[in-house]
């Protein structure tokens, strides 16, 4: 549930009440107009309680279907958990039986879990010049997510977004060492983000779903991490400059000269691997990279991601890859919104394995 609440009294114990009445509670905004995200099993009781504390200005909700999924628990030796920054939607997670840990978009003055924000709206507001940034989940929400997972599953493998990008790995390791159920949780720093993380998680979850034991799943994940690569194709540098990823002068000059960098997210950060000037050159670069690794009779696994350019990615890029590698397993998904918030409209990416 997402709620905007104006408390009747600035001293009303809203946060304390929410902590006891719901799960995964995140509160942002000023004391006189709180933006609240939470999980509940009793909407009616929640609404009654909120009405006693203040005026509900906005209310939206989405049903969370248990991610304990299409595979029976008995068939799976380990449950997979990961970060939503891996270009996985809630629908993808349900299909795979994966638990997603949210990160947040801050759009103007409002904060939203990235899995609940409309991608088209994100890129539209960025074009309109509205400030967009990102934020991690609170320490409380992270710890509740770990506890929920290990309470439901005997073995949990957290394939964590690269520690160079967030503090999630350190947070999970600290919780693991301080809690009595921590031995049920294994944490791998994948060094990945966006589609590379998504492809690693997808492959590992499918392998785990075949009933492999925890050690085999962890070995599979580590092997997949070492093999998986990703290219991210930027359209404009001004969005990276706005977020402080590059200097504003460099961003302005790069856009003025129509430079479109190509970066590869690695365990050490995003490495620049090329510069092109238009979409055709981006596509040629992508095909050359695949050609250098896979013969035409191979069956590479490719995850394509789009920002506000789905038609081009789906109809042009995917078709070109399929034409050259007829047996390729190609998936097209939206780019992780926490990545899109920094990289901006026109960005697309290709992870491959």
């Amino acid at each position: 549930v997402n709620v905007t609440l104006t408390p009747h009294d600035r001293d009303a114990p809203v946060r304390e009440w929410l902590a006891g009445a719901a799960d995964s509670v995140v509160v942002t905004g000023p004391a006189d107009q709180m933006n609240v995200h939470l999980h509940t099993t009793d909407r009616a009781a929640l609404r009654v309680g909120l009405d006693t504390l203040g005026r509900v200005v906005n209310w939206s909700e989405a049903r969370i279907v248990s991610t304990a999924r299409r595979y029976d628990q008995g068939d799976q030796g380990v449950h997979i958990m990961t970060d939503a920054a891996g270009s996985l939607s809630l629908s993808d997670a349900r299909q795979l039986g994966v638990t997603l840990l949210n990160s947040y978009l801050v759009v103007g003055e409002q904060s939203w879990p990235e899995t609940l924000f409309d991608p088209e709206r994100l890129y539209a507001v960025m074009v309109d010049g509205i400030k967009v940034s990102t934020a991690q989940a609170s320490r409380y929400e992270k710890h509740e997510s770990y506890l929920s997972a290990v309470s439901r599953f005997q073995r949990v493998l957290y394939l964590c977004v690269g520690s160079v990008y967030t503090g999630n790995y350190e947070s999970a390791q600290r919780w693991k060492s301080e809690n009595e159920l921590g031995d049920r949780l294994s944490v791998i720093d994948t060094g990945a983000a966006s589609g590379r993380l998504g492809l690693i998680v997808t492959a590992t979850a499918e392998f785990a779903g075949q009933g492999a034991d925890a050690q085999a799943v962890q070995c599979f994940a580590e092997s997949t991490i070492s093999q998986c690569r990703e290219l991210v194709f930027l359209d404009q540098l001004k969005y990276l400059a706005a977020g402080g990823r590059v200097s504003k002068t460099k961003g302005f000059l790069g856009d003025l000269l129509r430079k479109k960098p190509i970066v590869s997210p690695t365990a050490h950060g995003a490495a620049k691997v090329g510069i092109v000037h238009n979409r055709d050159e981006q596509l040629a670069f992508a095909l050359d990279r695949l050609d250098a690794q896979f013969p035409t009779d191979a069956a590479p696994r490719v995850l394509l991601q789009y920002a506000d350019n789905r038609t081009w990615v789906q109809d042009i890029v995917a078709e070109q890859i399929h034409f050259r590698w007829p047996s390729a397993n190609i998936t097209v998904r939206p780019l992780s919104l926490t990545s899109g918030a920094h990289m901006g409209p026109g960005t697309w990416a290709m992870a491959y394995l």
Side-chain angles (χ1 to χ4, degrees), residues 40-332:
T40 182
T41 57
D42 192 339
R43 292 174 295 171
L46 174 70
R47 185 59 187 255
V48 170
L50 289 173
D51 285 339
T52 65
L53 293 169
R55 183 169 66 91
V56 176
V57 180
N58 291 306
W59 173 289
S60 64
E61 61 184 63
R63 180 170 177 263
I64 299 177
V65 179
S66 171
T67 58
R69 78 171 184 294
R70 58 185 176 131
Y71 302 117
D72 292 334
Q73 290 185 34
D75 293 334
Q76 185 184 20
V78 61
H79 178 73
I80 305 300
M81 183 165 68
T82 192
D83 299 296
S87 296
L88 289 170
S89 68
L90 289 174
S91 176
D92 297 325
R94 285 195 292 269
Q95 288 296 315
L96 293 166
V98 168
T99 293
L100 282 186
L101 305 186
N102 261 313
S103 46
Y104 288 80
L105 296 170
V106 182
V107 181
E109 299 299 321
Q110 293 187 317
S111 176
W112 297 86
E114 72 165 288
T115 52
L116 298 180
F117 201 84
D118 179 17
E120 291 186 7
R121 182 183 170 198
L122 173 66
Y123 299 113
V125 300
M126 293 182 76
V127 169
D128 290 342
I130 296 174
K131 184 179 179 181
V132 175
S133 60
T134 60
Q136 294 184 39
S138 68
R139 180 174 178 269
Y140 173 81
E141 182 178 357
K142 290 178 184 178
H143 289 188
E144 285 294 299
S145 297
Y146 309 150
L147 180 59
S148 174
V150 298
S151 297
R152 291 181 294 126
F153 301 95
Q154 288 291 325
R155 298 297 305 167
V156 177
L157 177 60
Y158 179 16
L159 297 175
C160 185
V161 67
S163 58
V164 71
Y165 304 108
T166 76
N168 290 358
Y169 175 75
E170 290 80 2
S171 177
Q173 289 287 58
R174 189 179 307 114
W175 182 90
K176 175 179 165 65
S177 68
E178 295 173 352
N179 286 268
E180 61 181 15
L181 293 178
D183 59 351
R184 293 188 179 186
L185 178 66
S186 298
V187 187
I188 295 180
D189 179 356
T190 65
S194 303
R196 181 168 173 245
L197 177 58
L199 191 51
I200 290 165
V201 170
T202 299
T204 303
E206 290 175 351
F207 179 77
Q210 298 171 14
D213 63 33
Q215 184 176 359
V217 172
Q218 184 157 338
C219 289
F220 180 92
E222 291 169 348
S223 174
T224 303
I225 290 167
S226 68
Q227 296 175 53
C228 194
R229 299 289 182 270
E230 181 171 28
L231 299 172
V232 179
F233 300 88
L234 302 172
D235 186 58
Q236 299 182 70
L237 281 170
K238 68 178 183 180
Y239 298 105
L240 283 178
R245 264 58 182 181
V246 299
S247 71
K248 291 186 177 181
T249 300
K250 186 176 181 180
F252 173 78
L253 290 176
D255 288 340
L256 186 66
L257 297 172
R258 298 179 61 202
K259 291 183 177 180
K260 300 183 185 297
I262 304 166
V263 299
S264 179
T266 74
H268 306 291
K272 186 168 71 174
V273 295
I275 297 177
V276 294
H277 296 89
N278 53 54
R279 277 183 170 180
D280 289 341
E281 292 181 6
Q282 289 178 336
L283 178 55
F285 191 99
L287 294 174
D288 286 346
R289 279 300 177 99
L290 291 178
D291 192 50
Q293 186 164 341
F294 303 105
T296 55
D297 60 350
R301 187 160 193 168
V302 180
L303 173 57
L304 296 173
Q305 305 138 80
Y306 57 87
D308 58 344
N309 47 5
R310 177 176 183 172
T311 299
W312 185 76
V313 171
Q314 190 167 270
D315 295 349
I316 304 299
V317 180
E319 286 301 313
Q320 285 289 319
I321 294 172
H322 179 70
F323 178 77
R324 291 204 190 186
W325 292 272
S327 298
N329 180 350
I330 304 170
T331 304
V332 181

